[in-house]
């Protein structure tokens, strides 16, 4: 009788320990490539999850970076104050078997995560970051099992903190983080939404500077060119000279130039389509940047600067242009066959502004 | 209204057929593209009903006035495979459009006109690649939509 009691006790304790051990069973560790960053750089952290259990463990993907970061997986603070998570929070159905990844005993998985697109890193200071994923369904989608784990306080994966120093951008920076919409960061009057990383923000600002240079040049050319009727540059993109059409184009560039320099611009980085960019012409001044934008040069043909000019021209309050012909050769043909449409065409404005190769 | 019918030919005897009809819900419509050929065709999604709402491919008017397009306009480079739809011989592709997603309509009849759709014959087994020189234009018939009281 006594003997039997003892056995039962051992089993209970063993059972408890093996579950308890699960809490430490998935170890998270973070690594940074360096400890000093400027806000022109992306901040990449390596996340490693290791199963230190003697048995396989399943982990809910949503709380790992397995398919990109889709929850606030990190605790990030600057100078001791917690910063906002700007990324997505997903509303999801109940977790199913397929939503779990299995780690064998001793197995590790590593993911690289870029932080500046996910957290508000707009302040200068000492940042501390740790991994902190918590969910009652983190390790199981079995309701009985997760209640048991919850009672034991086993709900998360955490890591020790790592820290880095970040020198933020000069100038006025405000952040308006609204949960769910990706938040937004405003730098010198330009707002970024849709998780623009630091390098994306830097290349947008370079593209914007190029767009301003191009549109100022286009405007001054159209205002002061001595003999419009013999302008090769105009004729290439807008066809035969006509005083009314010349003045339409001059007005368009005057508006583009003014919008670029005086209006609050927003750039959104969430688009994953193959396009360069898109806008809603009725919703100035927000430009959605897509895949082709990121690989475009800063200036020249089909550049970042030119794309921004193109998109600005679409806004109804700016020039209300259409997309009637895409690309250099179609835009040139349109200038010959239909000058009235050419002065309505967004790419024609872009190519006139880019002026590559340069024409007088 | 984008109607850049540049290059290619506008063929009346295309083996493709486009039909348009009103949907069951208010301001909804259906566009069907049918391939009556014995070989496949490619359809360029851009500026077609397969591109809702990333380009202005319709002209919608009420009381004789063109309505303001409120969808998006996109800048694109060269068409890639994801911009093309392969329509097999005998196949019909159907798109439903909800005009309220891009236009503000009032309770009077609306006239809907379609931009020509760029199409191209395709050799079976070949890589899907758009060639502007082989492009032809498929016309879709205009459609009159009557207002329906929304039961919701
Ligand atoms: Zn455009």
């Amino acid at each position: 009788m006594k003997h039997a009691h003892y056995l039962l006790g051992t089993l209970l304790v063993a059972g408890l320990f093996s579950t308890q051990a699960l809490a430490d069973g998935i170890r998270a560790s973070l690594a940074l490539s360096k400890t000093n960053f400027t806000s022109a750089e992306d901040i990449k952290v390596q996340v490693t999850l290791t199963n230190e259990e003697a048995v396989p463990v399943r982990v809910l993907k949503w709380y790992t970076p397995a398919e990109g970061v889709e929850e606030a997986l990190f605790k990030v603070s600057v100078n001791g104050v917690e910063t906002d998570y700007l990324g997505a929070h997903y509303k999801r159905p109940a977790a199913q078997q397929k939503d779990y990844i299995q780690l064998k005993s001793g197995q590790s998985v590593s993911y690289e995560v870029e932080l500046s697109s996910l957290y508000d890193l707009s302040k200068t200071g000492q940042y501390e970051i740790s991994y902190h994923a918590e969910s009652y369904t983190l390790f199981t989608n079995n309701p009985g099992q997760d209640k048991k784990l919850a009672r034991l306080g086993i709900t998360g994966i955490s890591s020790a903190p790592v820290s880095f120093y970040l020198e933020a951008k000069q100038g006025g920076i405000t952040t308006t983080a609204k949960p769910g919409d990706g938040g937004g960061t405003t730098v010198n009057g330009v707002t970024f939404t849709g998780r623009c990383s630091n390098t994306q923000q830097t290349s947008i600002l370079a593209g914007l500077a190029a767009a301003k240079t191009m549109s100022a040049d286009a405007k001054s050319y159209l205002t002061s060119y001595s003999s419009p009727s013999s302008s090769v540059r105009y004729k290439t993109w807008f066809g035969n000279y006509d005083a009314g059409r010349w003045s339409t184009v001059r007005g368009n560039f005057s508006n583009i130039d003014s919008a670029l320099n005086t209006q609050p611009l927003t750039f959104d980085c969430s688009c994953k389509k193959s396009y360069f960019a898109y806008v809603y012409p009725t919703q100035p001044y927000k430009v959605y940047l897509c895949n082709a934008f990121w690989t475009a040069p800063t200036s020249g043909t089909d550049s970042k600067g030119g794309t921004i000019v193109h998109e600005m021209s679409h806004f109804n309050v700016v020039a209300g242009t259409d997309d009637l012909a895409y690309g250099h050769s179609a835009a040139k043909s349109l200038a010959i066959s239909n000058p009235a449409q050419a002065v309505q065409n967004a790419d024609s404005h872009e190519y006139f502004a880019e002026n590559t190769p340069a024409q007088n | 209204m984008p109607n850049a019918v540049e290059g290619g030919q506008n063929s009346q005897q295309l083996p493709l057929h486009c039909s348009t009809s009103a949907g069951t819900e208010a301001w909804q419509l259906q566009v069907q593209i049918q391939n009556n050929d014995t070989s496949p065709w490619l359809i360029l999604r851009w500026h077609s009903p397969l591109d809702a709402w990333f380009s202005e491919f319709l002209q919608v008017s009420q009381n004789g006035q063109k309505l303001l397009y409120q969808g998006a306009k996109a800048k694109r480079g060269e068409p890639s495979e994801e911009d093309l739809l392969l329509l097999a011989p005998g196949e019909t592709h159907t798109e439903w459009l909800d005009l309220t997603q891009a236009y503000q309509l009032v309770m009077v009849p609306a006239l809907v006109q379609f931009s020509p759709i760029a199409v191209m014959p395709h050799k079976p087994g070949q890589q899907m690649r758009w060639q502007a020189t082989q492009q032809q234009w498929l016309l879709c018939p205009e459609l009159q939509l009557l207002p329906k009281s929304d039961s919701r």
Side-chain angles (χ1 to χ4, degrees), chain A residues 30-328:
Chain A
L30 302 182
L32 289 160
S33 57
K34 52 184 192 165
T35 54
N36 266 289
F37 293 90
T38 71
S39 58
E41 301 168 275
D42 284 347
I43 294 162
K44 290 179 179 156
V45 61
Q46 173 137 347
V47 179
T48 304
L49 304 177
T50 307
N51 178 10
E52 296 193 326
E53 281 296 295
V55 293
V57 173
R58 296 186 316 137
V59 181
L60 185 56
K61 272 194 259 184
W62 307 340
Y63 293 92
T64 75
E67 291 171 356
V69 173
E70 301 182 334
E71 297 291 339
L73 296 180
F74 300 89
K75 274 198 168 145
V76 180
S77 65
V78 53
N79 305 324
V81 181
E82 201 168 322
T83 62
D84 290 316
Y85 172 65
L86 305 174
H89 290 279
Y90 282 67
K91 180 170 165 50
R92 310 175 192 265
Q96 296 173 12
Q97 294 283 358
K98 66 173 173 58
D99 297 317
Y100 288 79
I101 48 172
Q102 177 152 319
L103 291 181
K104 290 185 212 124
S105 174
Q107 190 185 353
S108 283
V109 280
S110 279
Y111 307 97
E112 189 178 72
V113 176
E114 203 288 303
L115 287 176
S116 66
S117 61
L118 295 170
Y119 288 85
D120 175 14
L121 305 186
S122 58
K123 290 190 183 67
T124 295
Q126 192 68 32
Y127 282 79
E128 194 173 87
I129 138 171
S130 58
Y131 194 83
H132 191 81
E134 197 167 82
S135 160
Y136 291 126
T137 53
L138 185 54
F139 298 113
T140 177
N141 59 339
N142 173 337
Q145 180 75 1
D146 65 61
K147 282 204 189 76
K148 193 163 108 199
L149 294 176
R151 267 202 310 279
L152 297 165
I154 302 163
T155 57
I157 303 174
S158 299
S159 77
V162 290
S163 73
F164 61 90
Y165 185 81
L166 175 76
E167 185 76 46
K169 286 190 182 67
Q170 302 293 310
I173 295 164
T174 55
T175 299
T176 48
K178 280 179 276 164
D181 75 345
T185 313
T186 303
V187 181
N188 295 333
V190 177
T191 302
F192 300 102
T193 61
R195 305 163 86 175
C196 301
S197 70
N198 278 339
T199 46
Q200 286 176 326
Q201 292 183 24
T202 303
S203 66
I204 292 166
L205 292 174
L208 178 58
K212 287 179 181 180
T213 305
M214 284 175 202
S215 69
D217 169 74
K219 178 186 157 187
S220 89
Y221 181 93
L222 291 159
T223 307
S224 57
Y225 192 69
S226 53
S227 92
S229 60
S230 59
S231 164
V232 178
R233 179 176 171 185
Y234 176 89
K235 188 173 180 177
T236 302
W237 303 114
F238 298 114
N240 283 334
Y241 172 75
D242 167 273
R245 289 197 296 264
W246 177 286
S247 117
T248 298
V249 177
R250 184 182 55 211
N252 287 348
F253 274 107
S254 171
N255 291 349
I256 292 166
D257 184 58
S258 159
L260 286 173
N261 287 291
T262 65
Q263 298 298 333
L265 309 176
T266 298
F267 294 97
D268 186 283
C269 299
S270 60
C271 173
K272 298 287 175 274
K273 291 178 179 287
S274 60
Y275 317 153
F276 282 88
Y278 67 89
V279 296
Y280 292 88
T282 52
Q283 296 170 28
Y285 296 90
K286 183 166 184 174
V287 180
Y288 297 80
L289 303 169
C290 309
N291 290 354
F293 181 84
W294 305 115
T295 52
T298 301
S299 56
T301 302
D302 288 320
S303 59
K304 292 189 174 78
T307 298
I308 293 171
V309 169
H310 174 123
E311 298 305 332
M312 295 308 289
S313 80
H314 276 319
F315 292 122
N316 293 333
V317 295
V318 174
T321 60
D322 281 322
D323 290 311
L324 301 168
Y326 289 118
H328 254 212

Side-chain angles (χ1 to χ4, degrees), chain A residues 278-281, chain B residues 53-56 69-74:
Chain A
Y278 67 89
V279 296
Y280 292 88
Chain B
W53 298 96
F54 283 97
S55 55
E56 190 177 359
Y69 170 65
Q70 300 188 356
K73 289 180 181 173

